[in-house]
PDB file of all heavy atoms in Angstrom:
ATOM      1  N   HIS A 896     -20.924  15.759  -1.870  1.00  0.00           N
ATOM      2  CA  HIS A 896     -19.678  16.406  -2.256  1.00  0.00           C
ATOM      3  C   HIS A 896     -18.865  16.724  -1.019  1.00  0.00           C
ATOM      4  O   HIS A 896     -19.429  16.985   0.048  1.00  0.00           O
ATOM      5  CB  HIS A 896     -19.949  17.712  -3.017  1.00  0.00           C
ATOM      6  CG  HIS A 896     -20.614  17.493  -4.342  1.00  0.00           C
ATOM      7  ND1 HIS A 896     -21.974  17.425  -4.469  1.00  0.00           N
ATOM      8  CD2 HIS A 896     -20.102  17.315  -5.573  1.00  0.00           C
ATOM      9  CE1 HIS A 896     -22.287  17.201  -5.752  1.00  0.00           C
ATOM     10  NE2 HIS A 896     -21.153  17.131  -6.445  1.00  0.00           N
ATOM     11  N   CYS A 897     -17.561  16.727  -1.149  1.00  0.00           N
ATOM     12  CA  CYS A 897     -16.678  17.102  -0.027  1.00  0.00           C
ATOM     13  C   CYS A 897     -16.944  18.566   0.304  1.00  0.00           C
ATOM     14  O   CYS A 897     -16.885  19.429  -0.564  1.00  0.00           O
ATOM     15  CB  CYS A 897     -15.226  16.897  -0.426  1.00  0.00           C
ATOM     16  SG  CYS A 897     -14.088  17.536   0.814  1.00  0.00           S
ATOM     17  N   PRO A 898     -17.237  18.870   1.593  1.00  0.00           N
ATOM     18  CA  PRO A 898     -17.509  20.257   1.969  1.00  0.00           C
ATOM     19  C   PRO A 898     -16.265  21.151   1.822  1.00  0.00           C
ATOM     20  O   PRO A 898     -16.383  22.371   1.772  1.00  0.00           O
ATOM     21  CB  PRO A 898     -17.924  20.174   3.441  1.00  0.00           C
ATOM     22  CG  PRO A 898     -17.615  18.805   3.886  1.00  0.00           C
ATOM     23  CD  PRO A 898     -17.364  17.942   2.705  1.00  0.00           C
ATOM     24  N   ASP A 899     -15.120  20.539   1.742  1.00  0.00           N
ATOM     25  CA  ASP A 899     -13.880  21.316   1.668  1.00  0.00           C
ATOM     26  C   ASP A 899     -13.470  21.603   0.233  1.00  0.00           C
ATOM     27  O   ASP A 899     -13.275  22.745  -0.153  1.00  0.00           O
ATOM     28  CB  ASP A 899     -12.778  20.550   2.390  1.00  0.00           C
ATOM     29  CG  ASP A 899     -11.824  21.481   3.122  1.00  0.00           C
ATOM     30  OD1 ASP A 899     -12.301  22.504   3.631  1.00  0.00           O
ATOM     31  OD2 ASP A 899     -10.635  21.173   3.179  1.00  0.00           O
ATOM     32  N   CYS A 900     -13.303  20.563  -0.578  1.00  0.00           N
ATOM     33  CA  CYS A 900     -12.771  20.775  -1.919  1.00  0.00           C
ATOM     34  C   CYS A 900     -13.820  20.536  -3.007  1.00  0.00           C
ATOM     35  O   CYS A 900     -13.556  20.747  -4.176  1.00  0.00           O
ATOM     36  CB  CYS A 900     -11.562  19.866  -2.163  1.00  0.00           C
ATOM     37  SG  CYS A 900     -11.988  18.125  -2.344  1.00  0.00           S
ATOM     38  N   GLY A 901     -15.014  20.057  -2.613  1.00  0.00           N
ATOM     39  CA  GLY A 901     -16.083  19.888  -3.591  1.00  0.00           C
ATOM     40  C   GLY A 901     -15.977  18.622  -4.413  1.00  0.00           C
ATOM     41  O   GLY A 901     -16.733  18.428  -5.373  1.00  0.00           O
ATOM     42  N   PHE A 902     -15.081  17.713  -4.053  1.00  0.00           N
ATOM     43  CA  PHE A 902     -14.931  16.460  -4.800  1.00  0.00           C
ATOM     44  C   PHE A 902     -16.249  15.688  -4.797  1.00  0.00           C
ATOM     45  O   PHE A 902     -16.938  15.615  -3.782  1.00  0.00           O
ATOM     46  CB  PHE A 902     -13.821  15.610  -4.159  1.00  0.00           C
ATOM     47  CG  PHE A 902     -13.526  14.349  -4.892  1.00  0.00           C
ATOM     48  CD1 PHE A 902     -12.702  14.359  -6.005  1.00  0.00           C
ATOM     49  CD2 PHE A 902     -14.040  13.131  -4.459  1.00  0.00           C
ATOM     50  CE1 PHE A 902     -12.402  13.192  -6.694  1.00  0.00           C
ATOM     51  CE2 PHE A 902     -13.756  11.950  -5.146  1.00  0.00           C
ATOM     52  CZ  PHE A 902     -12.934  11.990  -6.262  1.00  0.00           C
ATOM     53  N   ASP A 903     -16.579  15.156  -5.970  1.00  0.00           N
ATOM     54  CA  ASP A 903     -17.836  14.402  -6.103  1.00  0.00           C
ATOM     55  C   ASP A 903     -17.678  13.034  -5.453  1.00  0.00           C
ATOM     56  O   ASP A 903     -17.081  12.116  -6.001  1.00  0.00           O
ATOM     57  CB  ASP A 903     -18.148  14.254  -7.596  1.00  0.00           C
ATOM     58  CG  ASP A 903     -19.508  13.598  -7.823  1.00  0.00           C
ATOM     59  OD1 ASP A 903     -20.093  13.077  -6.846  1.00  0.00           O
ATOM     60  OD2 ASP A 903     -19.976  13.596  -8.961  1.00  0.00           O
ATOM     61  N   LEU A 904     -18.223  12.913  -4.232  1.00  0.00           N
ATOM     62  CA  LEU A 904     -18.042  11.674  -3.471  1.00  0.00           C
ATOM     63  C   LEU A 904     -18.854  10.520  -4.042  1.00  0.00           C
ATOM     64  O   LEU A 904     -18.485   9.355  -3.859  1.00  0.00           O
ATOM     65  CB  LEU A 904     -18.394  11.923  -1.997  1.00  0.00           C
ATOM     66  CG  LEU A 904     -17.511  12.977  -1.313  1.00  0.00           C
ATOM     67  CD1 LEU A 904     -18.117  13.421   0.003  1.00  0.00           C
ATOM     68  CD2 LEU A 904     -16.099  12.455  -1.094  1.00  0.00           C
ATOM     69  N   ALA A 905     -19.964  10.830  -4.717  1.00  0.00           N
ATOM     70  CA  ALA A 905     -20.751   9.772  -5.339  1.00  0.00           C
ATOM     71  C   ALA A 905     -19.945   9.128  -6.466  1.00  0.00           C
ATOM     72  O   ALA A 905     -20.003   7.910  -6.667  1.00  0.00           O
ATOM     73  CB  ALA A 905     -22.056  10.349  -5.885  1.00  0.00           C
ATOM     74  N   GLN A 906     -19.175   9.950  -7.150  1.00  0.00           N
ATOM     75  CA  GLN A 906     -18.318   9.446  -8.221  1.00  0.00           C
ATOM     76  C   GLN A 906     -17.294   8.456  -7.660  1.00  0.00           C
ATOM     77  O   GLN A 906     -16.968   7.468  -8.265  1.00  0.00           O
ATOM     78  CB  GLN A 906     -17.618  10.628  -8.884  1.00  0.00           C
ATOM     79  CG  GLN A 906     -16.581  10.262  -9.938  1.00  0.00           C
ATOM     80  CD  GLN A 906     -15.582  11.413 -10.150  1.00  0.00           C
ATOM     81  OE1 GLN A 906     -15.977  12.569 -10.245  1.00  0.00           O
ATOM     82  NE2 GLN A 906     -14.322  11.103 -10.215  1.00  0.00           N
ATOM     83  N   ASP A 907     -16.833   8.773  -6.442  1.00  0.00           N
ATOM     84  CA  ASP A 907     -15.845   7.893  -5.818  1.00  0.00           C
ATOM     85  C   ASP A 907     -16.423   6.509  -5.543  1.00  0.00           C
ATOM     86  O   ASP A 907     -15.715   5.510  -5.596  1.00  0.00           O
ATOM     87  CB  ASP A 907     -15.330   8.522  -4.524  1.00  0.00           C
ATOM     88  CG  ASP A 907     -14.178   7.706  -3.934  1.00  0.00           C
ATOM     89  OD1 ASP A 907     -13.211   7.453  -4.683  1.00  0.00           O
ATOM     90  OD2 ASP A 907     -14.257   7.315  -2.774  1.00  0.00           O
ATOM     91  N   GLN A 908     -17.713   6.475  -5.229  1.00  0.00           N
ATOM     92  CA  GLN A 908     -18.347   5.175  -4.965  1.00  0.00           C
ATOM     93  C   GLN A 908     -18.258   4.282  -6.191  1.00  0.00           C
ATOM     94  O   GLN A 908     -18.289   3.062  -6.088  1.00  0.00           O
ATOM     95  CB  GLN A 908     -19.827   5.363  -4.584  1.00  0.00           C
ATOM     96  CG  GLN A 908     -20.029   6.169  -3.310  1.00  0.00           C
ATOM     97  CD  GLN A 908     -19.314   5.585  -2.113  1.00  0.00           C
ATOM     98  OE1 GLN A 908     -19.376   4.390  -1.870  1.00  0.00           O
ATOM     99  NE2 GLN A 908     -18.617   6.423  -1.371  1.00  0.00           N
ATOM    100  N   ALA A 909     -18.198   4.907  -7.367  1.00  0.00           N
ATOM    101  CA  ALA A 909     -18.178   4.140  -8.595  1.00  0.00           C
ATOM    102  C   ALA A 909     -16.789   3.565  -8.902  1.00  0.00           C
ATOM    103  O   ALA A 909     -16.660   2.657  -9.705  1.00  0.00           O
ATOM    104  CB  ALA A 909     -18.638   5.016  -9.759  1.00  0.00           C
ATOM    105  N   LEU A 910     -15.787   4.121  -8.255  1.00  0.00           N
ATOM    106  CA  LEU A 910     -14.441   3.597  -8.489  1.00  0.00           C
ATOM    107  C   LEU A 910     -14.360   2.156  -8.008  1.00  0.00           C
ATOM    108  O   LEU A 910     -14.985   1.790  -7.022  1.00  0.00           O
ATOM    109  CB  LEU A 910     -13.414   4.416  -7.701  1.00  0.00           C
ATOM    110  CG  LEU A 910     -13.138   5.832  -8.166  1.00  0.00           C
ATOM    111  CD1 LEU A 910     -12.175   6.497  -7.190  1.00  0.00           C
ATOM    112  CD2 LEU A 910     -12.555   5.829  -9.564  1.00  0.00           C
ATOM    113  N   ASN A 911     -13.582   1.362  -8.713  1.00  0.00           N
ATOM    114  CA  ASN A 911     -13.517  -0.015  -8.243  1.00  0.00           C
ATOM    115  C   ASN A 911     -12.645  -0.145  -7.011  1.00  0.00           C
ATOM    116  O   ASN A 911     -11.891   0.749  -6.647  1.00  0.00           O
ATOM    117  CB  ASN A 911     -13.107  -0.974  -9.374  1.00  0.00           C
ATOM    118  CG  ASN A 911     -11.667  -0.811  -9.771  1.00  0.00           C
ATOM    119  OD1 ASN A 911     -10.783  -0.713  -8.907  1.00  0.00           O
ATOM    120  ND2 ASN A 911     -11.408  -0.824 -11.064  1.00  0.00           N
ATOM    121  N   PHE A 912     -12.788  -1.268  -6.359  1.00  0.00           N
ATOM    122  CA  PHE A 912     -12.158  -1.514  -5.075  1.00  0.00           C
ATOM    123  C   PHE A 912     -10.641  -1.371  -5.165  1.00  0.00           C
ATOM    124  O   PHE A 912      -9.997  -0.734  -4.335  1.00  0.00           O
ATOM    125  CB  PHE A 912     -12.558  -2.926  -4.639  1.00  0.00           C
ATOM    126  CG  PHE A 912     -12.077  -3.315  -3.279  1.00  0.00           C
ATOM    127  CD1 PHE A 912     -12.330  -2.515  -2.172  1.00  0.00           C
ATOM    128  CD2 PHE A 912     -11.401  -4.512  -3.091  1.00  0.00           C
ATOM    129  CE1 PHE A 912     -11.904  -2.879  -0.918  1.00  0.00           C
ATOM    130  CE2 PHE A 912     -10.962  -4.880  -1.834  1.00  0.00           C
ATOM    131  CZ  PHE A 912     -11.212  -4.073  -0.752  1.00  0.00           C
ATOM    132  N   GLU A 913     -10.074  -1.961  -6.217  1.00  0.00           N
ATOM    133  CA  GLU A 913      -8.614  -1.933  -6.367  1.00  0.00           C
ATOM    134  C   GLU A 913      -8.123  -0.474  -6.503  1.00  0.00           C
ATOM    135  O   GLU A 913      -7.124  -0.095  -5.908  1.00  0.00           O
ATOM    136  CB  GLU A 913      -8.203  -2.747  -7.585  1.00  0.00           C
ATOM    137  CG  GLU A 913      -6.689  -2.927  -7.699  1.00  0.00           C
ATOM    138  CD  GLU A 913      -6.295  -3.786  -8.903  1.00  0.00           C
ATOM    139  OE1 GLU A 913      -7.031  -3.812  -9.891  1.00  0.00           O
ATOM    140  OE2 GLU A 913      -5.250  -4.451  -8.814  1.00  0.00           O
ATOM    141  N   GLU A 914      -8.879   0.314  -7.257  1.00  0.00           N
ATOM    142  CA  GLU A 914      -8.490   1.714  -7.455  1.00  0.00           C
ATOM    143  C   GLU A 914      -8.515   2.479  -6.122  1.00  0.00           C
ATOM    144  O   GLU A 914      -7.651   3.301  -5.857  1.00  0.00           O
ATOM    145  CB  GLU A 914      -9.431   2.347  -8.473  1.00  0.00           C
ATOM    146  CG  GLU A 914      -8.810   3.496  -9.215  1.00  0.00           C
ATOM    147  CD  GLU A 914      -9.623   3.856 -10.447  1.00  0.00           C
ATOM    148  OE1 GLU A 914     -10.221   2.945 -11.093  1.00  0.00           O
ATOM    149  OE2 GLU A 914      -9.692   5.037 -10.768  1.00  0.00           O
TER     150      GLU A 914
END
Side-chain angles (χ1 to χ4, degrees):
H896 294 88
C897 173
D899 216 35
C900 71
F902 184 81
D903 185 350
L904 299 166
Q906 174 202 315
D907 187 53
Q908 298 303 314
L910 289 176
N911 71 44
F912 185 52
E913 188 178 28
E914 206 165 326

